[in-house]
């Protein structure tokens, strides 16, 4: 048999690499199917040594009036790692006050691509009744579309991303200025080379409604399934203003999609029946640090069921 010349051997290298990638992708996909068939979940953050929990929402997740470590995401991280321990988790708080559901839905594919979370916790909806929805943005350009496809479909791509993440310490930056007028600049979240614009108060234009919120939450559930991430919905602990109508929609969306629900309104009803607990609520019914401890304990109980 005639041997390949030097140019033939060079030409065979990319073909061999491509075949290797395809075989690796096939093996990872078959492994994931086997894990799902056994009733378990395959974590996305294989190389980082911990599972990643992405927390999305508005001021009730951001932790308004408090230090970042007092909001529920960091309390959840400490509580899990101190009591459960293995696998350790890392919580990422990407919430900005004023955020509505359409802003999260618009950015959710990029958020999945940037953070590769195993679990996503969403608490959003009250601002849908006072701010207008934003249009969804499709990826522009063929390169962006290919990247989006790989992020949602390729387990080999996610493995390479996880390996890269193990050696690259991207810093999460959250910028929000509470002293700006209510009609101007939203907050900004930066992570690596990605930037997300979220929040903003009482913007001019037509406001959203319960139907918009319901459809957005349902779409989030579908996107989480595409990215093999576990999605958990939460209701608001408060009952004033637009909290109660938002909670009604959130419960309906969780029931419709089959997503787990942490019903914080019910939890706080038991802890504070008269709704006058200064240790749990600020006057506007945002949780205090002690209130967020109760939120973290409620989420921990949900995570331990899975």
């Amino acid at each position: 048999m005639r041997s390949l010349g030097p140019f033939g051997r060079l030409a065979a290298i990319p073909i061999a690499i491509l075949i290797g990638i395809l075989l690796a992708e096939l093996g990872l996909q078959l492994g994931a199917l086997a894990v799902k068939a056994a009733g378990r979940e395959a974590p996305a953050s294989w190389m980082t040594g911990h599972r990643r929990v992405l927390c999305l929402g508005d001021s009730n997740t951001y932790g308004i009036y408090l230090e970042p470590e007092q909001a529920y995401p960091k309390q959840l991280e400490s509580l899990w790692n101190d009591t459960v321990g293995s696998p350790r988790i890392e919580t990422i708080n990407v919430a900005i006050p004023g955020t509505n559901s359409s802003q999260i839905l618009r950015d959710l594919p990029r958020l999945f691509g940037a953070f590769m979370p195993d679990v996503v916790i969403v608490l959003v909806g009250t601002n849908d009744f006072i701010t207008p929805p934003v249009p969804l943005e499709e990826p522009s350009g063929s390169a962006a579309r290919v990247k989006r496809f790989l992020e949602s479909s390729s387990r080999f791509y996610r493995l390479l991303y996880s390996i890269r993440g193990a050696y690259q310490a991207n810093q999460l930056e959250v910028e929000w200025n509470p002293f700006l007028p209510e009609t101007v600049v939203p907050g900004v979240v930066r992570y690596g080379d990605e930037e997300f614009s979220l929040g903003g108060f009482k913007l001019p234009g037509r406001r959203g409604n319960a139907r918009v919120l319901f459809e957005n939450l349902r779409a989030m559930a579908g996107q989480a399934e595409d990215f093999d991430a576990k999605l958990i919905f939460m209701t608001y602990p408060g009952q004033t203003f637009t909290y109660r109508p938002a909670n009604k929609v959130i419960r309906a969306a969780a029931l419709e999609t089959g997503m787990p629900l942490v019903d914080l309104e019910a939890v706080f009803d038991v802890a504070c029946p008269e709704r006058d607990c200064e240790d749990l609520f600020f006057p506007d019914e945002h949780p205090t640090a002690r209130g967020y401890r109760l939120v973290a304990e409620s989420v921990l109980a949900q995570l331990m069921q899975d």
Side-chain angles (χ1 to χ4, degrees), residues 25-59:
E25 179 69 39
L26 178 62
L28 291 170
Q29 294 286 0
L30 291 175
L33 289 174
V35 168
K36 286 186 176 181
R40 294 175 292 161
E41 295 181 1
S45 306
W46 297 313
M47 299 299 297
T48 58
H50 53 248
R51 301 195 74 186
R52 180 169 281 186
V53 179
L54 183 63
C55 304
L56 304 176
D58 50 37
S59 56

Side-chain angles (χ1 to χ4, degrees), residues 4-305:
L4 294 173
F7 292 107
R9 287 193 293 270
L10 286 174
I13 291 175
I15 297 175
I17 293 174
L18 177 60
I19 292 174
I21 292 174
L22 292 175
L23 290 175
E25 179 69 39
L26 178 62
L28 291 170
Q29 294 286 0
L30 291 175
L33 289 174
V35 168
K36 286 186 176 181
R40 294 175 292 161
E41 295 181 1
S45 306
W46 297 313
M47 299 299 297
T48 58
H50 53 248
R51 301 195 74 186
R52 180 169 281 186
V53 179
L54 183 63
C55 304
L56 304 176
D58 50 37
S59 56
N60 285 265
T61 297
Y62 176 87
I64 198 168
Y65 314 128
L66 299 170
E67 297 298 322
E69 62 271 13
Q70 294 177 302
Y72 94 78
K74 282 304 176 186
Q75 291 208 51
L76 171 63
E77 180 180 301
S78 298
L79 192 59
W80 175 280
N81 291 336
D82 290 344
T83 59
V84 181
S86 180
R88 296 181 69 80
I89 68 168
E90 172 195 10
T91 60
I92 303 170
N93 189 346
V94 189
I96 294 287
T99 297
N100 64 32
S101 66
S102 65
Q103 290 176 304
I104 290 180
L105 181 60
R106 175 198 63 193
D107 288 341
L108 198 54
R110 288 201 301 127
L111 288 163
F112 279 126
F115 295 103
M116 294 289 178
D118 302 288
V119 179
V120 180
I121 303 173
V122 176
L123 173 55
V124 73
T126 187
N127 291 300
D128 281 65
F129 297 95
I130 58 175
T131 60
V134 298
L136 300 182
E137 296 177 357
E138 294 296 326
S140 58
S142 57
R145 286 191 290 270
V146 169
K147 182 174 182 290
R148 182 72 54 83
F149 172 78
L150 292 174
E151 289 169 347
S152 63
S153 304
S154 172
R155 294 185 177 274
F156 184 74
Y157 178 90
R158 295 181 206 171
L159 177 60
L160 292 180
Y161 182 92
S162 297
I163 295 173
R164 175 190 172 207
Y167 295 98
Q168 183 179 13
N170 287 324
Q171 293 296 314
L172 177 66
E173 301 177 27
V174 178
E175 295 182 3
W176 177 70
N177 189 340
F179 301 107
L180 289 174
E182 287 187 337
T183 55
V184 287
V185 184
V188 176
V189 174
R190 297 185 184 89
Y191 185 77
D193 56 358
E194 292 283 2
E195 182 172 297
F196 308 91
S197 177
L198 297 166
F201 295 93
K202 299 180 182 176
L203 304 176
R206 188 181 61 173
R207 298 175 180 180
N209 52 49
R211 172 52 58 181
V212 171
L213 173 59
F214 179 82
E215 294 298 337
N216 288 344
L217 293 175
R218 186 164 66 174
M220 290 179 205
Q223 290 192 13
E225 291 181 349
D226 290 342
F227 281 85
D228 287 332
K230 180 179 183 61
L231 180 69
I232 297 174
F233 288 129
M234 293 203 300
T235 61
Y236 289 91
Q239 293 183 334
T240 59
F241 197 36
T242 53
Y243 288 150
R244 297 189 80 171
N247 286 345
K248 182 178 180 181
V249 177
I250 294 166
R251 291 189 189 98
L255 182 64
E256 170 80 13
T257 60
M259 295 295 108
L261 173 69
V262 178
D263 195 340
L264 294 178
E265 184 182 0
V267 169
F268 279 74
D269 274 344
V270 174
C272 184
E274 301 301 322
R275 293 284 166 165
D276 58 354
C277 302
E278 294 182 358
D279 61 325
L280 297 179
F281 288 113
F282 289 107
D284 61 0
E285 286 207 320
H286 282 89
T288 62
R290 177 65 189 91
Y292 277 125
R293 177 74 176 189
L294 184 55
V295 173
E297 291 170 349
S298 303
V299 178
L300 176 69
Q302 175 64 52
L303 291 176
M304 292 182 66
Q305 292 179 15

